[in-house]
């Protein structure tokens, strides 16, 4: 008989305690402790079930004697997916893909799995039956790889399937649905998630077979079974977007084998995800008329420049308290920006409702779009359209100054490529690029008033 003990584990942060406690001392949450039974023998050594643990014992080496071996990467044949991974799937790596339910995680990995040429894939799903997966693969209609599918929730069984199939890549959908027999708690509990992830990590490292995990996220947007999982895996990719729009962004939040600045944009279609290699063209609406309340920002997400359209509507507040609402842009930042133009440029918006929308349903974190947000607000307020050939980049400071932005050359380059005639940039950025290289007219500004004079005369 395996010796078992019971511990109380915080389901929010994974902290353990010998007794039940009401408030977690680690994360401060209430009522999150649940009892979990652990068989001592197996968890102490975090042994991989069915022994993948015949590791060659290693000797410590001097760091100067260690030879650098370039990690081998598997080409996933999706250039966007490769890019986010840092140039392909590294052999023996454990990659976690997180995202809200229904955003398209299963579609993404199945599509990648089906496309990998001459590779044998094992796709273990604890969420869907084999026929559901087959139906999805028919929608996607791609089959270059040898993709085996199994509907399975037991970790031990998954290892047995791996031994039978001998795959080149293993996919587990999702880590919250599988469980190991070593632990009595239910699938999805912190201990199960951690134990399964550790076992899969060992498997990946010892066999050099990459494993892709899908993970759910909780209501705060963190990967469920929070930091525990993120520490274990080699890379965390976040798949995000608005479910009502078709664009999806895949970004690396952590990557031991590449940069976290990379991101990929996909479009969800009837027949799977399509890679968007030139996002700017899609994100700018194909509007031919000059409409008020629209401004184009030259933005950077990660290291990719793209132009996005900011739309704004300013109207007289119908009720006492004016509404401020924004989609895709931080609403606290919007309030701050409105306060800045009220104070520094003398526009009275206190009695106005202000709505901001970023086209395409994307969420943009780049502060360089501040100036375009304000330009859109003013354009709507004055009911004056901004010239379609002008775009802008610049962060707005509290005193109304335009602060420098990162990667100005790429922003200018992208604007020029898309045929804009003029770009407004922060004055501080001026010395950072070589002036004669561009056909586009570059207009450096110091303060928001200067920018408004250029835009609205
Ligand atoms: P899914 O991959 O199941 O999401 P997740 O695994 O993240 O929960 O996909 C969810 C949505 O994608 C679903 O509502 C249907 C839609 N979809 C398409 O629009 N086109 C397609 O080709 C596929 C397969 C799904
Ligand atoms: Mg799914």
């Amino acid at each position: 008989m395996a010796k078992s003990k019971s511990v109380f584990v915080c389901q929010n942060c994974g902290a353990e305690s010998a007794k039940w406690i009401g408030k977690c001392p680690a994360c401060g949450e209430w009522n999150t402790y649940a009892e979990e039974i652990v068989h001592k023998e197996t968890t102490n050594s975090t042994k991989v079930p069915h022994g993948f643990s015949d590791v060659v014992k290693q000797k410590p080496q001097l760091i100067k004697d260690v030879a650098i071996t370039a990690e081998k990467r598997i080409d996933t044949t999706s250039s966007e997916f490769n890019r986010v991974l840092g140039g392909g799937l590294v052999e023996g790596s454990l990659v976690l893909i997180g995202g809200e339910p229904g955003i398209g995680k299963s579609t993404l990995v199945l599509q990648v799995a089906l496309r990998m040429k001459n590779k044998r894939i094992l796709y273990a799903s604890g969420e869907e039956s084999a026929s559901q997966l087959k139906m999805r693969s028919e929608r996607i209609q791609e089959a270059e790889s040898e993709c085996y599918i199994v509907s399975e929730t037991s970790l031990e069984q998954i290892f047995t399937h791996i031994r039978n199939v001998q795959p080149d890549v293993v996919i587990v959908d999702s880590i919250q649905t599988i469980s190991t027999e070593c632990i009595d708690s239910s699938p999805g509990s912190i201990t199960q998630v951690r134990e399964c992830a550790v076992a899969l990590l060992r498997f990946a490292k010892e066999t050099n077979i990459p494993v892709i995990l899908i993970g759910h996220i909780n209501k705060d947007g963190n990967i469920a079974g929070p930091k525990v999982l993120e520490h274990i895996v080699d890379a965390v990719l976040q798949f995000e977007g608005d479910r009502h729009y078709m664009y999806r962004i895949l970004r690396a939040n952590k990557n031991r084998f590449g940069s976290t600045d990379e991101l990929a944009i996909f479009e969800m279609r009837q027949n799977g995800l399509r890679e968007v290699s030139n996002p700017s063209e899609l994100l700018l609406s194909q509007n031919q008329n000059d409409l008020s309340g629209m401004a184009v920002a030259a933005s950077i997400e990660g290291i990719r420049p793209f132009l996005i359209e900011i739309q704004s509507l300013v109207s007289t507040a119908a009720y006492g308290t004016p509404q401020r609402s924004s989609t895709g842009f931080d609403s606290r930042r919007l309030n701050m920006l409105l306060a800045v133009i009220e104070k520094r440029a003398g526009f009275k918006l206190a009695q106005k409702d202000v709505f901001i929308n970023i086209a395409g349903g994307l969420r943009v974190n780049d502060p360089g779009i501040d100036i375009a947000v304000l330009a859109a607000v003013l354009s709507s307020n004055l009911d004056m359209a901004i010239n379609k050939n002008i775009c802008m980049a610049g962060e707005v400071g509290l005193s109304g100054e335009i602060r420098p932005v990162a990667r100005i050359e790429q922003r200018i380059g992208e604007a020029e490529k898309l045929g804009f005639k003029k770009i407004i940039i922060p004055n501080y950025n001026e010395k950072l690029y070589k002036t004669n290289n561009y056909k586009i007219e570059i207009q450096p500004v110091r303060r928001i008033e200067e920018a408004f004079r250029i835009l609205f005369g």
Side-chain angles (χ1 to χ4, degrees):
M1 269 295 282
K3 224 164 75 189
S4 64
K5 69 165 189 175
S6 100
V7 288
F8 291 86
V9 183
C10 171
Q11 299 299 309
N12 187 49
C13 70
E16 286 182 16
S17 154
K19 288 184 305 191
W20 187 85
I21 29 184
K23 185 184 177 188
C24 174
C27 67
E29 286 291 309
W30 286 91
N31 242 340
T32 50
Y33 275 77
E35 185 174 14
E36 294 184 0
I37 315 278
V38 188
H39 293 302
K40 263 206 149 163
E41 280 180 347
T42 38
T43 44
N44 264 357
S45 57
T46 52
K47 211 167 83 190
V48 180
H50 295 285
F52 269 102
S53 47
D54 33 33
V55 226
V56 191
K57 291 273 179 294
Q58 292 193 4
K59 232 172 55 192
Q61 291 177 31
L62 276 175
I63 190 159
K64 66 175 170 39
D65 298 338
V66 177
I68 298 175
T69 46
E71 63 265 358
K72 286 211 192 80
R73 293 181 185 260
I74 298 175
D75 178 13
T76 63
T77 64
S78 158
S79 58
E80 297 288 297
F81 194 62
N82 280 348
R83 182 217 295 271
V84 177
L85 287 169
L89 189 59
V90 175
E91 284 186 356
S93 66
L94 183 62
V95 177
L96 174 68
I97 299 182
E100 282 176 27
I103 205 77
K105 302 178 293 300
S106 307
T107 309
L108 176 72
V109 286
L110 183 63
Q111 188 164 337
V112 167
L114 292 176
R115 271 198 205 166
M116 274 193 240
K117 278 197 197 87
N118 310 324
K119 292 276 180 251
R120 189 179 289 176
I121 320 272
L122 179 68
Y123 188 123
S125 175
E127 308 210 327
E128 286 152 311
S129 66
S131 69
Q132 276 172 311
L133 287 167
K134 169 74 184 166
M135 275 174 349
R136 172 165 305 147
S137 78
E138 299 218 311
R139 280 178 85 168
I140 300 172
Q141 285 177 335
E142 274 175 85
E144 304 229 17
S145 70
E146 219 181 313
C147 182
Y148 288 85
I149 278 172
V150 62
S151 180
E152 186 60 74
T153 55
S154 148
L155 183 69
E156 285 72 18
Q157 286 294 314
I158 290 177
F159 280 122
T160 313
H161 297 312
I162 290 174
R163 224 157 326 115
N164 296 339
V165 173
Q166 298 283 331
D168 300 310
V169 179
V170 176
I171 295 172
V172 176
D173 183 2
S174 65
I175 184 75
Q176 278 87 6
T177 53
I178 60 169
S179 59
T180 163
E181 288 156 14
C182 305
I183 298 165
D184 283 344
S185 53
S186 56
S189 69
I190 293 268
T191 337
Q192 280 288 6
V193 165
R194 182 173 48 201
E195 222 51 39
C196 292
V198 167
L200 286 164
L201 178 74
R202 288 216 158 189
F203 161 76
K205 299 293 168 216
E206 284 163 17
T207 57
N208 235 2
I209 297 173
V211 180
I212 301 179
L213 297 178
I214 290 183
H216 295 166
I217 61 172
N218 59 24
K219 59 179 190 303
D220 308 326
N222 295 322
I223 292 175
K227 297 295 167 196
V228 198
L229 255 183
E230 287 169 46
H231 288 304
I232 296 170
V233 300
D234 293 313
V236 181
L237 311 183
Q238 190 84 22
F239 203 38
E240 57 190 41
D242 191 322
R243 258 205 292 164
H244 305 291
Y245 290 92
M246 54 210 176
Y247 299 114
R248 305 278 184 270
I249 291 189
L250 182 70
R251 49 175 118 227
N253 284 351
K254 159 179 175 177
N255 194 349
R256 286 188 184 143
F257 305 110
S259 144
T260 51
D261 285 336
E262 291 288 4
L263 90 172
I265 300 183
F266 294 91
E267 183 186 358
M268 181 61 99
R269 294 259 180 120
Q270 268 313 308
N271 53 353
L273 291 155
R274 191 182 70 89
E275 296 177 9
V276 179
S277 40
N278 189 357
S280 303
E281 275 170 15
L282 284 163
L283 296 171
L284 296 178
S285 64
Q286 310 301 322
N287 217 314
Q288 296 305 316
N289 304 323
D290 283 344
L291 296 173
S292 68
M294 279 209 236
V296 177
S299 169
I300 296 265
E301 274 295 307
I303 53 172
R304 268 183 104 169
F306 54 83
L307 298 188
I308 41 172
E309 194 174 270
I310 319 277
Q311 302 170 338
S312 170
L313 178 69
V314 177
S315 65
T316 311
Y319 305 103
T321 329
Q323 291 187 57
R324 268 78 215 270
S325 140
S326 63
T327 314
F329 186 73
D330 183 9
S331 51
R332 269 177 305 175
R333 190 150 188 98
L334 172 65
N335 283 332
M336 183 211 92
L337 292 176
L338 294 177
V340 170
I341 45 170
E342 179 122 19
K343 177 93 179 166
R344 307 287 170 196
F347 290 94
K348 294 276 167 277
L349 295 168
Q351 295 310 315
K352 302 279 177 81
D353 287 340
V354 178
F355 304 97
I356 287 282
N357 183 23
I358 291 188
L362 294 184
R363 237 205 113 68
V364 181
N365 302 320
D366 173 24
I369 70 168
D370 283 357
I371 185 171
V373 169
L374 285 185
V377 168
L378 281 195
S379 161
S380 174
N381 191 38
L382 301 168
D383 202 17
M384 282 171 73
I386 294 174
N387 187 330
K388 280 206 311 281
N389 293 316
I390 302 184
C391 66
M392 56 207 93
E395 182 180 342
V396 175
L398 284 181
S399 58
E401 81 279 20
I402 307 292
R403 311 185 58 199
V405 291
R407 299 178 190 273
I408 192 71
E409 291 194 339
Q410 272 167 286
R411 296 181 201 244
I412 300 173
E414 184 75 5
E416 186 177 74
K417 201 170 91 195
L418 284 151
F420 281 81
K421 302 273 184 306
K422 192 192 262 189
I423 180 166
I424 296 176
I425 65 158
N427 191 275
Y428 297 98
N429 277 121
E430 211 194 348
K431 48 188 170 310
L432 297 178
Y433 62 89
K434 293 178 202 70
T435 328
N436 323 339
N437 287 356
Y438 300 104
K439 283 201 293 293
I440 187 170
E441 183 190 342
I442 298 173
Q443 182 84 58
V445 291
R446 284 196 174 78
R447 304 192 48 80
I448 39 170
E449 299 93 302
E450 274 176 59
F452 296 155
R453 261 197 302 279
I454 295 165
L455 294 171
F456 305 109

